[in-house]
Amino acid sequence: MSLVRDILWESSSSDDENYNDLPNSRKKKVYQPRVNRFLKWNEQEFLDRFRISKGLARALASHLAPLLQTRTMKNFAVTPEQQIIMALEFYACGSFQRCIGDAAGVHKSTVCRIIHRVSRAIAGLRTDWIAMPKNIEEMETEAKKFYEICAFPKVIGTIDCTHIPIKSPGGADAETYRNRKQVFSLNVQVITNAEMYITNIVARWPGSCHDSHIFNSSVIKGRLEDGEFDGFWLLGDKGYANKPYLLTPLRNPVTEAEKLYNESHIRTRNIVERSFGCWKKRFPAVSWKLRTNTARAQCAIVAMAVLYNICKKLRDPMPTCYDSDNESSDSDDNDLTSAYVSQHDEHNRNMLINTYFDRLH
């Protein structure tokens, strides 16, 4: 019993017990040491931990410094480079923010604010880095690149959705975020070009929403129906309805031309699946879990899409360290009933099969 009393006595004692006994006392500020992780790790170790190179991280911090710089450097303020490092660590693993704070030497609430601030700043670059072809010359160039994959003509993008796990948002609408695999997620719609750049992204829909519903509610559908990309089309899987501007595979191909159409369609549309794999390898948090609230998760997803495009454009090295148990496609690939497909919707696909693929076999 004496041992128990000694333990209880020691646990109730502290170095600052006299300070805490003072009336209306405030907790003393503690400044934790901050390690310069640009110097701590070599280039490869830095790349594997933060998913981008040191040079790109420094350039990003310099470019975003006006948005990230604090008003004063008093109270051991966090520099733009340190803020970028914390956000990159979150994108690398979606880790608990307390763990990131312990490594960075700041409180978890500071980490939360910093990650959101950096994500907003990077997502603000989306108009420069995520864009569909803007004119006929760009559309023709993109169609030529797609044609070189498997001879499918007039394609300017491939479309699909992927589920990005998030923590339960709570509240009355929480169950709308539970997908068919019983995981809380955001169903994110992405369009990619022939070089696997992300050219359009929609990251605001709950995991229970079907791919076709997301597309029908998106701005890009309105642009397609307004004729902005007239004469060209997207390729989608069977989760979408066939449209004059969005071609899907045939469910039961019979003729040689139909089989050739399906084969060319599938091999060309595979670009978007490969893009998901590269995106998730670059930033594993996209395939694991984003441990932040839903609004901030949406912002982080767009930021990671922007960074993915930047890394591809600048040919930033791909990290070698990546572990994932789920690299398969997780999009909704359920057939839509043909009862709602009009002859007008089928016209482009039938004409393409009869006048183009029929001559190729």
Side-chain angles (χ1 to χ4, degrees), residues 184-310:
F184 290 105
S185 69
L186 290 169
N187 196 7
V188 179
Q189 176 181 282
V190 170
I191 298 175
T192 60
N193 66 15
E195 297 176 300
M196 297 196 297
Y197 285 91
I198 295 174
T199 57
N200 186 270
I201 185 168
V202 179
R204 62 188 180 87
W205 289 92
S208 63
C209 290
H210 194 278
D211 295 5
S212 60
H213 175 74
I214 297 172
F215 176 72
N216 290 336
S217 305
S218 65
V219 173
I220 191 64
K221 182 188 178 183
R223 294 172 63 186
L224 288 161
E225 291 193 336
D226 288 343
E228 184 174 339
F229 309 101
D230 191 32
F232 299 88
W233 40 62
L234 302 177
L235 298 186
D237 62 21
K238 292 179 288 186
Y240 297 95
N242 191 73
K243 295 289 183 180
Y245 46 79
L246 196 163
L247 302 184
T248 61
L250 295 162
R251 283 180 289 179
N252 298 299
V254 177
T255 67
E256 289 300 319
E258 290 176 343
K259 293 177 181 177
L260 188 59
Y261 165 86
N262 262 20
E263 179 183 355
S264 181
H265 184 288
I266 291 169
R267 290 175 61 182
T268 305
R269 197 194 66 82
N270 183 252
I271 285 288
V272 70
E273 303 289 352
R274 291 167 55 199
S275 300
F276 287 150
C278 292
W279 187 26
K280 293 179 180 183
K281 182 176 181 180
R282 174 68 71 172
F283 300 109
V286 179
S287 61
W288 294 342
K289 179 183 286 188
L290 294 175
R291 293 181 175 89
T292 186
N293 67 45
T294 306
R296 296 190 173 193
Q298 294 169 356
C299 189
I301 290 167
V302 175
M304 284 185 275
V306 171
L307 281 180
Y308 166 78
N309 279 0
I310 292 174

Side-chain angles (χ1 to χ4, degrees), residues 154-170:
K154 297 184 179 181
V155 179
I156 58 169
T158 55
I159 184 171
D160 202 357
C161 289
T162 185
H163 288 269
I164 297 181
I166 60 173
K167 70 175 187 179
S168 171

Side-chain angles (χ1 to χ4, degrees), residues 22 41 48 77 115 124 128 137 158 203 205 209 249 253 255 266 296 315 330-331 346:
L22 294 175
W41 310 111
D48 288 341
I115 291 173
D128 298 324
E137 289 79 11
T158 55
W205 289 92
C209 290
T255 67
I266 291 169
R296 296 190 173 193
R315 299 182 182 275
D330 53 3
S331 62
E346 293 288 332

Side-chain angles (χ1 to χ4, degrees), residues 99-114:
C99 299
I100 297 174
D102 289 344
V106 299
H107 192 268
K108 69 173 184 177
S109 61
T110 303
V111 174
C112 181
R113 291 192 297 271
I114 285 174

